Amino acid sequence: MLSVFFGVLIGLALGLTGGGGSIFAVPLLIYGLGLPAPEAVAVSLGAVALTAAFGAVEAGWRGLIELRAGLIFAVAGVVSAPLGVQLGDRVSDTLIVSLFAAVMVVVAARMFVSARRAGDDTRVVRARPAANAHNDPGTVCHYSRDGRLRLNAPCSAALVATGLVVGVMSGFFGVGGGFLIVPALMLITEMGIHRAVSTSLLVITLVGLSGLASAVFAGRDMDWALTALFILGGLIGMAGGRSLSRYLAGPALQFIFALAMIAIAVFMLVKTFL
């Protein structure tokens, strides 16, 4: 039952933030259920990927996924995720946990800054940018006035490059990569956090399954019964998270996302070194 409860927490966070499930999964498996880091990575990849698949179907039905951009990002991540798994097998558990926490703090800091700078218009939940929205010169990919993302050569190249990096980190840390995918999509494109979260769920599904296959092929131990219970709880939490996300505007989600990352990062470092 503890596995199911932890799964609900993961699914709820994943549904709300597109990446919180990944952040919670590995620490809960290591510190809550006592799994060694390599096994926790494998179980996390499977549970988060399949839970994200459920959320991706719901988000796609609502028309919130940027399908072409998501597939470009995901294919690059699928290609590079096995490399991350191999690198993870060559370093200590302490190093994995420490690097994981450090990345979380960096991403959280950027999310805080982004949320504080958000304009009043971003406090409204929208499926697509407003038709008269102006392009942000700091992004690579821009929307046309009819609300379509323009995937030109620089935009596609940026998505591929970022997808390759996220794929390696996903395989290394045992996460779907959502806590990296969401801010990356918002940095590269003009997506609001709701579209970025929804698109992230598609990418997490594909990249996570690639990392899981690599982990199983590499001979890592897997507790399939525990994984199934995690997924069951995750599906319940995902349904709740996706429902709640309809009523939370962008900056609020960004603050929740950032606070969750900092709290878990501090906890992981304290448990590792004290």
Side-chain angles (χ1 to χ4, degrees):
M1 292 306 296
L2 190 59
S3 299
V4 174
F5 175 70
F6 285 165
V8 170
L9 294 179
I10 291 168
L12 181 63
L14 189 61
L16 279 172
T17 68
S22 305
I23 292 171
F24 283 114
V26 173
L28 285 175
L29 288 166
I30 294 175
Y31 303 115
L33 298 178
L35 296 184
E39 184 177 353
V41 165
V43 173
S44 171
L45 285 168
V48 170
L50 293 176
T51 301
F54 177 80
V57 171
E58 183 271 344
W61 181 78
R62 291 172 57 196
L64 290 175
I65 293 179
E66 288 290 353
L67 185 59
R68 293 181 301 160
L71 288 176
I72 292 173
F73 203 114
V75 168
V78 166
V79 170
S80 60
L83 175 60
V85 173
Q86 294 178 15
L87 291 174
D89 287 335
R90 289 172 168 77
V91 300
S92 67
D93 293 358
T94 300
L95 181 59
I96 292 176
V97 171
S98 301
L99 291 176
F100 186 64
V103 170
M104 287 167 60
V105 171
V106 171
V107 174
R110 190 192 179 283
M111 293 293 284
F112 267 127
V113 172
S114 177
R116 288 179 61 85
R117 291 178 178 175
D120 291 337
D121 61 316
T122 61
R123 300 182 187 281
V124 180
V125 178
R126 289 197 182 102
R128 287 187 177 274
N132 61 351
H134 63 279
N135 289 337
D136 182 351
T139 59
V140 180
C141 307
H142 301 290
Y143 279 90
S144 60
R145 289 190 175 274
D146 63 357
R148 295 183 178 275
L149 188 64
R150 296 198 294 264
L151 292 177
N152 53 24
C155 175
S156 298
L159 289 170
V160 169
T162 310
L164 290 171
V165 173
V166 168
V168 172
M169 298 183 77
S170 297
F172 184 83
F173 292 125
V175 298
F179 75 105
L180 299 172
I181 297 167
V182 172
L185 287 174
M186 295 177 67
L187 177 66
I188 296 170
T189 75
E190 295 177 323
M191 289 186 202
I193 191 169
H194 290 86
R195 291 194 71 78
V197 165
S198 298
T199 304
S200 170
L201 293 174
L202 171 65
V203 179
I204 289 170
T205 300
L206 299 177
V207 174
L209 290 176
S210 172
L212 173 63
S214 300
V216 173
F217 183 77
R220 291 195 186 180
D221 293 329
M222 283 282 293
D223 187 332
W224 293 105
L226 183 147
T227 303
L229 291 173
F230 241 62
I231 294 171
L232 174 61
L235 294 179
I236 296 171
M238 172 64 73
R242 294 304 297 165
S243 297
L244 287 174
S245 70
R246 304 182 188 191
Y247 306 103
L248 292 174
L253 277 180
Q254 287 178 278
F255 276 120
I256 293 171
F257 197 2
L259 286 172
M261 283 192 287
I262 291 176
I264 296 300
V266 171
F267 175 79
M268 292 176 70
L269 291 174
V270 169
K271 290 290 290 184
T272 300
F273 294 105
L274 296 181

